Amino acid sequence: MAWTSRKYSIGRNEVSPTQRKPHIALLGTGGTIAGKARGDDPRVAYDCSSLSIDEVLAMCRGIEQKATISANQILQKGSENFSFTDFIAIAREVWTYAFDDSFDAVIVAQGTNTIEELAYFLNLTIPTSKPLIVTGAMRPPSAMGSDVCPNLYDAVCVAAHSDSCGMGAVVVMNSEIHAARDVIKSNSFKLDAFESQFGPLGYVVDGAPRYYRRPFRKHTTSSEFDIRHLQALPMVEMIPAYEGLTARVVSEAASSSAGLIVIGTGGGSIPESLIEPIKDAQSRGAFVIRASRSPEGVVVRNAAHPDDEYEWLVVDDQQPAKARILLALALQNDPTKTALQRCFHEY
Ligand code: ASP
């Protein structure tokens, strides 16, 4: 399934005015970027997922100078409502455009609440070196100081540039380009809402991406996950460990899940009272993976708990919600502890 990314190089990666403009697929799925203001304070109350992607695009004058954009509405819902089924459906659409020779890049416009999860899913499942961009907005188009057009314009600039080839899926928000693996929504309302543990990959400056680093872990073309024939993913539950968490919650979560991401404190420490209930869940077939509620850092094997003895796995530095996605995909390929742990150290 080889794909050779088309280069638009003239001088230093500039698009030549004599060459054809890049052709970009823009997929609308809803979210604030497609929101309509309601009430007096347009920054607070609005109806999410109301405008079509064509309507949103039409508001961003000048964007067509950068690229030929083909917009397609593939879903219309807030991203907090996305399920694994939606992820698979969106990824299939992205796949189609990524492997269509008439398209040079794909942008997904979605709600910001779970932008990092969909971006990571695409990062793991679309084996292309074409630019894959996910963007959204913190303020709807009608709001004062809306970031809809700046973010969409930046996403197009990133998608249209050959430097973005082979970067894996990236999230473009607030003039920053973040690696799908690392980015998290760290603020619920500010325009500057996204952060990556190791910083963004780069910025969008004067209508072009400016990269300073590239992702090291496996993604897209080096990923082993194939969704072409996938209909569903196994249930993986997340359990946040806190003082007073009862065994009942663990058993409930374990009853129907193939994996349990236990979000411990600090280096993934799990309260003593939960060790036996977790082992019990494990004896019923669920894989147990230790994560941390700290947004940054690493969960080290056999440090806070004897993982070898308990036959538990650790997430390395992955955020619980992303570890959940990786585990669900990895369970499709080789559901053994060694293979699953390898995935957490390679992706
Ligand atoms: N509720 C929205 C969502 O779909 C919020 C947003 O887009 O920022 O995630």
Side-chain angles (χ1 to χ4, degrees), residues 68-228:
T68 303
I69 302 170
S70 298
N72 186 4
Q73 190 77 47
I74 56 171
L75 265 184
Q76 187 64 303
K77 54 161 117 171
S79 72
E80 59 277 353
N81 301 315
F82 283 180
S83 62
F84 275 164
T85 310
D86 292 321
F87 281 10
I88 295 169
I90 296 168
R92 286 235 173 85
E93 291 284 345
V94 172
W95 179 293
T96 306
Y97 289 103
F99 286 96
D100 180 333
D101 282 344
S102 65
F103 287 90
D104 300 294
V106 187
I107 301 174
V108 178
Q110 72 155 100
T112 60
N113 286 348
T114 63
I115 216 169
E116 64 239 53
E117 275 120 298
L118 182 77
Y120 189 50
F121 192 78
L122 300 178
N123 195 53
L124 295 174
T125 60
I126 311 293
T128 181
S129 54
K130 288 185 189 179
L132 294 178
I133 322 296
V134 188
T135 193
M138 295 300 292
R139 294 183 189 169
S142 53
M144 202 184 299
S146 169
D147 53 340
V148 168
C149 290
N151 286 346
L152 201 52
Y153 180 74
D154 284 351
V156 168
C157 296
V158 172
H161 205 285
S162 61
D163 280 3
S164 304
C165 293
M167 285 292 192
V170 296
V171 171
V172 174
M173 293 286 295
N174 199 39
S175 308
E176 293 179 338
I177 309 164
H178 290 269
R181 179 188 186 276
D182 300 329
V183 68
I184 53 166
K185 183 173 179 177
S186 59
N187 192 283
S188 63
F189 79 101
K190 290 197 310 180
L191 295 178
D192 181 14
F194 287 86
E195 245 172 52
S196 294
Q197 178 171 191
F198 308 107
L201 298 175
Y203 300 123
V204 189
V205 183
D206 276 345
R210 199 172 286 187
Y211 289 101
Y212 298 92
R213 58 185 105 240
R214 43 174 67 246
F216 180 75
R217 297 293 182 106
K218 285 183 172 179
H219 60 77
T220 55
T221 51
S222 57
S223 171
E224 67 206 76
F225 307 114
D226 187 345
I227 48 143
R228 273 172 301 175

Side-chain angles (χ1 to χ4, degrees), residues 24-45:
I24 295 170
L26 171 63
L27 311 182
T29 67
T32 295
I33 194 166
K36 239 186 208 163
R38 174 184 1 120
D40 289 341
D41 185 348
R43 280 171 307 168
V44 180

Side-chain angles (χ1 to χ4, degrees), residues 6-8 14-25 62-70 101-105 153 156 159-162:
R6 219 177 258 117
K7 298 281 180 201
Y8 297 96
E14 288 304 313
V15 176
S16 160
T18 57
Q19 285 179 300
R20 75 164 179 79
K21 280 194 278 186
H23 188 193
I24 295 170
I63 210 168
E64 66 290 344
Q65 287 167 16
K66 279 279 169 193
T68 303
I69 302 170
S70 298
D101 282 344
S102 65
F103 287 90
D104 300 294
Y153 180 74
V156 168
H161 205 285
S162 61

